[in-house]
Amino acid sequence: FRGTVTIHDALAQSLNIPAMVVLDAVGPARLVARLKRAAIAPVLPDISAPGLAVGLGGGGITPRDLVQLYAAIARGGSPIPLVDGVSDGPMVPRIEAAPVLSPVAAWYVADILADVPPPTIGASGRIAYKTGTSYGYRDAWSIGFDGRTVIGVWAGRADGAPVPGLSGIGTAAPILFEAFDRLGGSRAPLR
């Protein structure tokens, strides 16, 4: 606990207590409704309303879902279907889908995510990104975007077994930054 902090610092530093205070004020059901606007259907218990745990990964969301959510943030809050070359059949764009966030809110989130300290191999301000590590070190992820591309990285074991030392910042983020490096060429400006 670090006392009173700004929303900027809470998000950039992955502080869970301020995130839960904000989610409690907004309501977990509103968060789930916004996720659904991005065509994400988190796996939640059928018998109860979503609780605060959904704000810290307590609902089942796939890496693809997270990339789709970050793509909406990168597009100023407007959801967009992903094109990944792996899915069967063409992806059909949603017509006039409700925004996930307002353009102003999406800009603020992207601006904060651009201030997240990079892993040791990365340069700050190149991409807007976030990391996460699941309870028990079973999953580590990092998702980021620049002005043109969204990339998601998941690390872990397919059988869900823990991997001691696995973390989003230490394992997944370096891969994310390397992926952006390998895209080469000049990148579109983030801000």
Side-chain angles (χ1 to χ4, degrees):
F1 183 75
R2 297 185 189 168
T4 302
V5 296
T6 64
I7 292 289
H8 175 280
D9 290 349
L11 181 56
Q13 298 172 24
S14 295
L15 304 179
N16 290 345
I17 292 173
M20 291 300 93
V21 169
V22 170
L23 183 58
D24 190 37
V26 171
R30 284 183 75 183
L31 173 62
V32 170
R34 293 296 176 125
L35 292 173
K36 289 180 180 179
R37 287 184 183 183
I40 296 168
V43 177
L44 301 169
D46 291 334
I47 58 174
S48 63
L52 292 176
V54 74
L56 296 177
I61 296 179
T62 68
R64 181 184 174 84
D65 287 343
L66 284 173
V67 170
Q68 188 146 327
L69 177 61
Y70 279 69
I73 295 168
R75 291 190 74 230
S78 299
I80 183 172
L82 298 181
V83 177
D84 62 11
V86 175
S87 300
D88 294 334
M91 303 241 1
V92 179
R94 294 174 58 182
I95 308 244
E96 295 189 31
V100 176
L101 295 171
S102 72
V104 171
W107 183 89
Y108 277 116
V109 172
D111 189 60
I112 292 168
L113 295 179
D115 288 342
V116 172
T120 56
I121 69 156
S124 58
R126 288 186 357 195
I127 62 171
Y129 85 107
K130 195 76 182 95
T131 64
T133 306
S134 68
Y135 177 78
Y137 303 102
R138 288 175 170 77
D139 302 281
W141 59 267
S142 185
I143 299 170
F145 55 89
D146 62 8
R148 187 178 341 171
T149 304
V150 180
I151 298 174
V153 173
W154 173 85
R157 289 178 45 138
D159 65 1
V163 179
L166 185 73
S167 72
I169 191 65
T171 308
I175 298 168
L176 177 74
F177 274 72
E178 184 173 337
F180 274 101
D181 286 344
R182 288 179 181 229
L183 288 175
S186 61
R187 304 304 301 151
L190 182 58
R191 295 180 183 174

